[in-house]
Amino acid sequence: MTYPFGAVVGMDDMRLALLLNAVSPAIGGVLVRGEKGTAKSTTVRALAAVLPSVAVVPGCRFACDPAAPDPACPDGPHEPAAPAQTRPARLVELPVGASEDRVVGSLDLERALTEGVKAFEPGLLAAAHRGVLYVDEVNLLHDHLVDLLLDAAALGTAYVEREGVSVRHAARFLLVGTMNPEEGELRPQLLDRFGLTVEVAAPRDPAVRAEVVRRRFAHDADPAGFGAAWAPEEASLAARIADARARLPRVVLSDDALRQVTAVCAAFDVDGLRADLVTARTAIAHAAWCGREEVTEDDVRVAARLALPHRRRRNPFDAPGLDDDTLDQALEDSRPEDAPDEDPPPPDGPGDGGTPPPPPNDDAGPGPGPDEGGYRDKGSPEGGEEAAGAPAREKAAVAPSDPFRARRLEVPGIGTGVAGRRSKARAERGRVVGSVRPSGPVTRLHLVDTVLAAAPHQVARGRSGPGLRIAREDLRQATLEGREGNLVLFVVDASGSMGSRARMGAVKGAVLSLLLDAYQRRDKVGLVTFRGGDAELALPPTWSVEAAAARLRELPTGGRTPLAAGLHRAAETLRVERVRDPQRRPLLVVVTDGRATGARGSDAVGAAHTAARRLADAGTAAVVVDCESGPVRLGLAGVLGAHLAARTLRLEELAADALAATVRSVREAA
Ligand SMILES: [Zn+2]
């Protein structure tokens, strides 16, 4: 029993965005961003129940409309006067780990080649036609699949092609994605292809929170009774959607309203005209939803708040949101001359929206030091351990220098991990490197090898005319090599040995650059730091490069250099992660000048080298980034690199164009 859509409280923007798309699917879907536990999924799943039901041709697996069947329907052609059957609109969930075949459907190549039959098994896109396609954790879906989904959503068609055999069918659906930004961002290129985005957070108003809990209790105690109590509300929402859909074609977007749309888009400096189109469509849908046949300034305001925030983000580290003052100003400036000077109305939703902005951090403690904030930080200054041999006082965190485009560091060999952009891997996509006998159904046929396998048997099979006789045992599956994402675990020396603040800034800038690179290559990242008495897992492996960047910025520095402890902590982290995510190969990036210090009389350097050899013996791929600077170089990082069986790069060599720069400087010197 799903939770009734009408009973959802405190999610006004999200509900409105979903309803407007239900009225006008041309808006292009909804992306919902928010932390865990905000009932995002519950709300999406509740939507299907209030969508108008659809008439379908009985038996058609592609949900053809009897009034206008898809001429290309693989189950067609349907008779013109095909009987109709009415069923509820569907909500289809796409699991993050789905294969491409599962999503677009699969062609049975075996039957195509051996029997000459074009057999197509519909995928999730076919199932979602005329309904809702929902992807939870859409930020974790591989880019290629997200692209594919957004293309289908934009064209209203799914297309599958394998070795010259192709199938096309209608696939129009309302695409809804939900994600928790703390687990990593969606790439900006994909972000802007969702029609609308909304940010959700748990409501702050205690009365609203109480109502959420009250309804949840009532629902869990008696789901059927709760559903029945809300049935009239559900029915009236469904009727209102149907009504608004019918009104939609009559809604007028006047020149004045259009000018406001374009003025707002220009004020927020969005790329291209896509934003203008989506904003206009949303404003029209909102007018229809409100029972009006003309778009008003209020419709434009609501549309801009839903359609623009994600279109102006340039950097994954920028904060989302839309500045209300800029919006008001743009609307006012573009208002027609003779219009009354109205006060901006509060944002309108199906409930009464307009929650006040969150209060600025209201529980800032009395701690005046530079290290405030709630980070777990075992090496914080309170500990007396610093006193021993480390005169270095706690300093304010050093700001990182500007990030640069980093060169690709990769894990040697060929992995089998999830698709990404770092190390070589056996993959679902990529270049063909060979073929094997298929262990299951053939998904990527290696045509040449199949023909070569069939050729010797042609006489025995009694071939007379043109055309090969191909049998099942001839079929060869292509082996593809693409790239995988990895776990990049940084081990960063934050001790006093790293010298000047400028040097530490450069180190942080370099790690930040590698983090940006990891974001683009779909890697998981983790951060181990060591300084003072111990090493700390400052960030357990995560998708969130933002979290890693934040930890890095605040990283305190100074004190002793327990390099061995850092390596031990890294080994332990990798061991746990190998259990959790065995296919993902790790790459250790040790950022250090190679020095190690410990308690008096201990052999800190020897201990570090032993730890390094243990990592190398376990087959851990590693790179050492040498941070040593100054006129006298000891080359200790290189020695550590040898023990790790790792390549050692100087900090300056990390930039993608470092080689070109070096060549240039050598030429200039000559
Ligand atoms: Zn059909």
Side-chain angles (χ1 to χ4, degrees):
M1 183 102 210
T2 51
Y3 196 83
F5 192 78
V8 175
V9 236
M11 318 262 292
D12 297 339
D13 279 354
M14 177 177 175
R15 279 171 35 115
L16 184 60
L18 291 172
L19 289 168
L20 294 180
N21 270 275
V23 171
S24 172
I27 292 171
V30 185
L31 176 67
V32 184
R33 298 157 42 91
E35 59 206 356
K36 273 198 162 49
T38 42
K40 300 186 294 285
S41 298
T42 307
T43 309
V44 177
R45 292 188 184 114
L47 179 68
V50 295
L51 293 177
S53 48
V54 289
V56 294
V57 174
C60 172
R61 294 172 300 162
F62 301 86
C64 276
D65 181 353
D70 176 8
C73 176
D75 281 356
H78 302 298
E79 288 163 30
Q85 187 184 358
T86 303
R87 64 153 174 78
R90 261 188 216 136
L91 180 120
V92 173
E93 293 203 32
L94 192 154
V96 161
S99 66
E100 182 177 342
D101 282 351
R102 176 99 181 82
V103 176
V104 295
S106 57
L107 277 160
D108 191 337
L109 287 172
E110 293 186 20
R111 289 192 65 196
L113 286 166
T114 59
E115 299 169 37
V117 178
K118 193 153 129 181
F120 180 66
E121 189 56 42
L124 296 171
L125 292 182
H129 179 44
R130 304 175 71 201
V132 180
L133 186 64
Y134 173 41
V135 194
D136 189 16
E137 299 190 302
V138 65
N139 50 332
L140 306 187
L141 195 65
H142 186 245
D143 291 347
H144 164 64
L145 284 184
V146 181
D147 266 334
L148 204 146
L149 278 185
L150 291 167
D151 280 343
L155 299 171
T157 307
Y159 180 72
V160 193
E161 203 235 285
R162 296 280 182 273
E163 319 303 333
V165 186
S166 68
V167 165
R168 183 188 296 278
H169 65 82
R172 282 185 304 279
F173 49 83
L174 162 50
L175 180 64
V176 182
T178 53
M179 59 176 275
N180 177 358
E182 286 168 8
E183 286 165 357
E185 275 297 352
L186 202 60
R187 282 187 305 140
Q189 303 92 300
L190 299 178
L191 201 60
D192 100 307
R193 291 182 59 189
F194 278 91
L196 308 181
T197 27
V198 284
E199 304 276 333
V200 295
R204 287 176 178 264
D205 182 348
V208 178
R209 295 176 80 107
E211 189 56 26
V212 172
V213 174
R214 210 173 288 132
R215 290 189 188 177
R216 196 77 228 185
F217 277 5
H219 172 265
D220 293 351
D222 177 13
F226 190 78
W230 281 90
E233 171 74 15
E234 296 290 274
S236 98
L237 271 172
R240 192 173 167 189
I241 293 173
D243 187 47
R245 270 193 193 176
R247 186 176 301 106
L248 191 70
R250 298 196 299 274
V251 176
V252 177
L253 178 73
S254 67
D255 285 351
D256 285 341
L258 177 58
R259 202 170 306 123
Q260 289 204 300
V261 168
T262 54
V264 165
C265 292
F268 283 104
D269 195 22
V270 292
D271 287 335
L273 284 173
R274 203 184 171 79
D276 305 59
L277 279 169
V278 174
T279 309
R281 284 183 182 135
T282 310
I284 291 169
H286 188 253
W289 174 247
C290 296
R292 280 184 267 102
E293 296 196 355
E294 184 158 12
V295 172
T296 65
E297 182 173 313
D298 181 37
D299 297 325
V300 177
R301 177 191 310 278
V302 171
R305 285 182 53 246
L306 296 173
L308 298 187
H310 58 300
R311 295 206 149 76
R312 45 194 302 273
R313 303 184 60 205
R314 290 290 173 279
N315 188 307
F317 304 144
D318 285 348
L322 204 62
D323 172 29
D324 279 336
D325 291 343
T326 312
L327 179 57
D328 287 338
Q329 195 59 49
L331 284 168
E332 195 176 308
D333 291 350
S334 61
R335 205 175 280 160
E337 298 279 304
D338 52 345
D341 199 22
E342 47 174 319
D343 273 344
D348 185 24
D352 39 34
T355 11
N361 194 8
D362 40 8
D363 51 8
D371 265 322
E372 94 280 349
Y375 298 103
R376 296 165 299 112
D377 188 357
K378 280 194 242 153
S380 55
E382 292 90 287
E385 65 197 59
E386 296 283 333
R393 273 295 303 140
E394 199 62 44
K395 296 175 206 154
V398 181
S401 61
D402 289 340
F404 49 80
R405 194 163 68 84
R407 68 195 289 172
R408 182 178 68 214
L409 307 174
E410 64 182 295
V411 180
I414 295 179
T416 53
V418 174
R421 301 207 177 81
R422 188 171 297 277
S423 309
K424 282 182 182 160
R426 293 274 170 259
E428 228 186 86
R429 303 178 58 75
R431 65 193 180 91
V432 176
V433 292
S435 73
V436 291
R437 283 173 184 271
S439 49
V442 179
T443 50
R444 294 288 182 285
L445 186 80
H446 194 297
L447 191 59
V448 172
D449 286 2
T450 300
V451 169
L452 286 175
H457 308 296
Q458 296 304 301
V459 175
R461 286 176 193 165
R463 174 185 168 221
S464 49
L468 284 176
R469 292 213 166 178
I470 293 182
R472 193 158 300 252
E473 64 265 25
D474 303 331
L475 299 176
R476 292 293 181 273
Q477 168 88 4
T479 319
L480 306 182
E481 189 178 283
R483 290 201 180 268
E484 62 178 3
N486 298 103
L487 162 63
V488 182
L489 182 63
F490 293 93
V491 182
V492 179
D493 180 351
S495 72
S497 92
M498 295 294 274
S500 71
R501 289 172 66 83
R503 192 62 181 166
M504 197 61 216
V507 168
K508 283 188 176 187
V511 178
L512 195 59
S513 308
L514 291 170
L515 280 172
L516 274 164
D517 182 60
Y519 168 77
Q520 279 153 358
R521 299 190 188 283
R522 314 289 291 177
D523 296 314
K524 244 172 162 174
V525 293
L527 178 64
V528 170
T529 61
F530 56 94
R531 61 181 281 276
D534 205 359
E536 182 200 0
L537 180 57
L539 186 78
T542 170
W543 296 101
S544 176
V545 167
E546 292 84 340
R551 292 290 150 83
L552 184 72
R553 285 204 181 90
E554 278 124 25
L555 186 66
T557 52
R560 273 191 209 136
T561 314
L563 176 56
L567 295 174
H568 283 309
R569 181 54 65 93
E572 175 60 16
T573 306
L574 294 181
R575 192 187 62 76
V576 171
E577 204 57 24
R578 199 152 39 234
V579 175
R580 209 176 270 162
D581 193 355
Q583 297 296 94
R584 185 171 291 274
R585 296 189 298 158
L587 177 66
L588 201 62
V589 177
V590 187
V591 183
T592 173
D593 57 9
R595 262 182 279 210
T597 54
R600 205 183 309 271
S602 67
D603 179 12
V605 174
H609 290 171
T610 306
R613 278 197 305 278
R614 214 168 281 160
L615 277 161
D617 290 346
T620 313
V623 172
V624 174
V625 177
D626 183 0
C627 301
E628 187 173 36
S629 64
V632 183
R633 306 250 176 145
L634 301 173
L636 291 172
V639 178
L640 177 71
H643 285 290
L644 267 171
R647 190 168 167 203
T648 302
L649 294 167
R650 279 180 298 112
L651 200 56
E652 296 75 19
E653 289 175 304
L654 278 182
D657 47 8
L659 187 61
T662 309
V663 170
R664 215 176 305 128
S665 69
V666 168
R667 280 214 187 107
E668 276 160 15

